[in-house]
Amino acid sequence: MSMKLLNLLRRRTGSAPVARERLQILLAHERGLRSQPDLLGILREEILAVVSRHVVLDPEKVIVRMDRGDAVSTLEVDIEIPNGFEKRLKVAS
Amino acid sequence: MAKVLVVTSGKGGVGKTTSTAALGAALAQRGEKVVVVDFDVGLRNLDLIMGAERRVVFDLINVAQGVAKLSQALIRDKRLESLWLLPASQTRDKDALTDEGVRDIIADLRTKFDWIICDSPAGIERGATLAMRYADEAVVVTNPEVSSVRDADRIIGMLDSKTVKAEKGEQLKKHVLITRYDTSRAARGEMLNIDDILEILAVPLLGIIPESQDVLKASNVGSPVTLNNASSMPARAYIDAARRLSGETVDMVVPTEQRRGFMNRLLGRRAA
Ligand SMILES: Nc1ncnc2c1ncn2[C@@H]1O[C@H](COP(=O)(O)OP(=O)(O)O)[C@@H](O)[C@H]1O
Ligand SMILES: [Mg+2]
């Protein structure tokens, strides 16, 4: 039996069509992210550079996250600053 | 000219090591000089599947670090003259393998073999990128199941960007190998359809390997399934895949239910 024929017989049963739909949507999204050469990485580096000019930071504590919605996406930037940073701020400037 | 082939997947447990051994043995049986290279540092398994675990003296990392010569680490298969194994190390230090080390070993292997088949570790980290780094061709192994196909897609993206060939702007030839294809589940529509997988991944099909007890039996005795039982369904599917790798056109046989086995035999014969 040919592959096409077998697949035709199967097409309308089981959970496989749902799996296919979900994959297609997910991969379209993930491929989009991949094609932007690490946008989040670049944003993170540049944000870190700007803030570090004024405050002493632990680079590990800078978190940049992107959440994609249907209409808008949100960019979340979470920077943990150590207590007493103002002192260091004076030293730095 | 030597060909470097990486067998990769992203996801673990999909059948990379099984496929490396089976394809390597099938190519060697066709008279090609083949080395299968285990890149799964720390979790080596290819030696076991090839039945050579008690003959490992030196490994990939020993060669990369200059502790041993390549000729000292290569293990010749006891069944096939032209089949060799370069085992991975069991060291926990994965950073022991460097890009330069891999580059030099692959360059050396190219002068000695027709096929250099690299068994990639799972994941998308260093080990997997090193295994694919110098490849000319790739076999992307996937199971007909969503998470495996998603990881395959990710790996295809890496093959197109992180390999030397891709960086030079050259075309790295890719194939999809669908393994652990369960005929009864496929018949009930519980598994992703083969056409759908190919459409989603947009990479040509190398073969469909059925889920089979013969794979487990072969691994129990330490023999590639293509050698252990060459007439079994998975072995025949791997042998056909190896012929396609060598450039032959072979009809694609879709594994069907066991009780319809005679259909397969008919189709299989016509294809051969
Ligand atoms: N076609 C198959 N039929 C049945 N079992 C299989 C098949 N292919 C692989 N397996 C089993 O699946 C497990 C994982 O296979 P392996 O080749 O080690 O995967 P990977 O190298 O991708 O982690 C092993 O236990 C192996 O015997
Ligand atoms: Mg493996």
Side-chain angles (χ1 to χ4, degrees):
Chain A
M1 213 182 296
S2 86
M3 207 159 100
K4 282 257 151 58
L5 192 59
L6 270 179
N7 287 339
L8 263 180
L9 290 176
R10 278 173 207 154
R11 196 167 290 271
R12 260 174 282 278
T13 55
S15 52
V18 182
R20 168 173 167 253
E21 289 289 318
R22 290 179 55 221
L23 259 179
Q24 276 173 332
I25 294 165
L26 175 70
L27 292 183
H29 168 71
E30 287 185 343
R31 284 171 188 158
L33 288 183
R34 234 184 278 147
S35 62
Q36 306 162 337
D38 192 19
L39 176 62
L40 286 187
I42 295 167
L43 282 174
R44 194 177 167 283
E45 286 301 307
E46 294 193 4
I47 291 168
L48 181 63
V50 169
V51 182
S52 307
R53 256 186 260 149
H54 307 284
V55 182
V56 179
L57 283 178
D58 177 357
E60 299 280 300
K61 300 283 165 64
V62 179
I63 295 163
V64 179
R65 201 177 302 137
M66 178 98 77
D67 262 323
R68 303 232 160 193
D70 285 336
V72 288
S73 299
T74 55
L75 183 68
E76 187 186 325
V77 181
D78 187 337
I79 305 175
E80 192 181 305
I81 295 174
N83 283 337
F85 73 92
E86 286 130 319
K87 248 180 269 157
R88 290 186 222 178
L89 190 118
K90 272 191 210 118
V91 178
S93 57
Chain B
M1 211 177 68
K3 267 195 193 146
V4 179
L5 180 74
V6 62
V7 178
T8 183
S9 71
K11 193 166 155 61
V14 295
K16 288 178 295 296
T17 301
T18 303
S19 300
T20 301
L23 291 172
L27 284 167
Q29 207 145 36
R30 295 167 57 78
E32 311 253 2
K33 198 168 177 205
V34 180
V35 60
V36 288
V37 186
D38 193 346
F39 272 85
D40 209 341
V41 173
L43 285 172
R44 80 166 173 230
N45 267 325
L46 190 55
D47 55 335
L48 259 180
I49 299 301
M50 301 286 294
E53 70 277 8
R54 294 171 65 182
R55 298 164 63 207
V56 174
V57 183
F58 294 111
D59 58 52
L60 186 65
I61 287 180
N62 295 147
V63 180
Q65 294 182 332
V67 175
K69 283 197 231 120
L70 184 58
S71 58
Q72 293 176 298
L74 284 169
I75 303 169
R76 184 182 226 144
D77 189 82
K78 286 208 162 136
R79 298 146 296 211
L80 289 176
E81 277 244 297
S82 63
L83 180 60
W84 298 72
L85 164 71
L86 182 54
S89 123
Q90 281 293 54
T91 167
R92 258 175 287 158
D93 183 14
K94 294 192 180 188
D95 294 335
L97 205 56
T98 62
D99 192 331
E100 293 73 31
V102 173
R103 182 196 62 202
D104 295 348
I105 290 174
I106 296 281
D108 203 349
L109 290 171
R110 274 183 193 275
T111 67
K112 298 180 170 71
F113 293 93
D114 300 318
W115 288 92
I116 297 131
I117 310 184
C118 306
D119 181 19
S120 175
I124 54 167
E125 308 303 326
R126 193 182 158 75
T129 49
L130 278 179
M132 69 169 65
R133 183 87 187 129
Y134 295 93
D136 304 309
E137 278 189 44
V139 171
V140 179
V141 179
T142 186
N143 298 156
E145 167 269 327
V146 282
S147 58
S148 165
V149 174
R150 177 202 209 170
D151 290 359
D153 190 73
R154 187 97 183 262
I155 282 291
I156 289 167
M158 288 171 57
L159 287 166
D160 288 336
S161 60
K162 302 230 154 112
T163 54
V164 169
K165 220 164 172 133
E167 284 172 5
K168 281 200 256 170
E170 292 171 20
Q171 197 57 43
L172 183 141
K173 200 165 168 189
K174 290 163 294 197
H175 315 265
V176 168
L177 185 66
I178 299 175
T179 60
R180 311 205 67 167
Y181 183 80
D182 184 324
T183 55
S184 52
R185 292 183 58 201
R188 292 196 296 272
E190 290 171 7
M191 276 185 335
L192 273 169
N193 199 288
I194 290 167
D195 281 347
D196 290 344
I197 296 174
L198 297 178
E199 192 191 316
I200 287 167
L201 295 179
V203 170
L205 181 63
L206 182 68
I208 307 161
I209 315 297
E211 171 80 19
S212 163
Q213 288 292 318
D214 289 295
V215 171
L216 189 63
K217 281 184 207 156
S219 75
N220 281 342
V221 299
S223 170
V225 66
T226 39
L227 292 185
N228 193 51
N229 182 0
S231 61
S232 66
M233 291 285 291
R236 289 210 315 240
Y238 275 123
I239 290 167
D240 280 357
R243 293 174 58 191
R244 292 186 192 105
L245 279 177
S246 322
E248 278 183 48
T249 311
V250 185
D251 283 350
M252 194 65 69
V253 180
V254 182
T256 48
E257 290 258 37
Q258 218 66 50
R259 57 188 136 85
R260 275 187 273 159
F262 72 96
M263 273 291 285
N264 274 308
R265 255 172 267 143
L266 280 179
L267 284 169
R269 196 156 298 152
R270 199 189 306 150

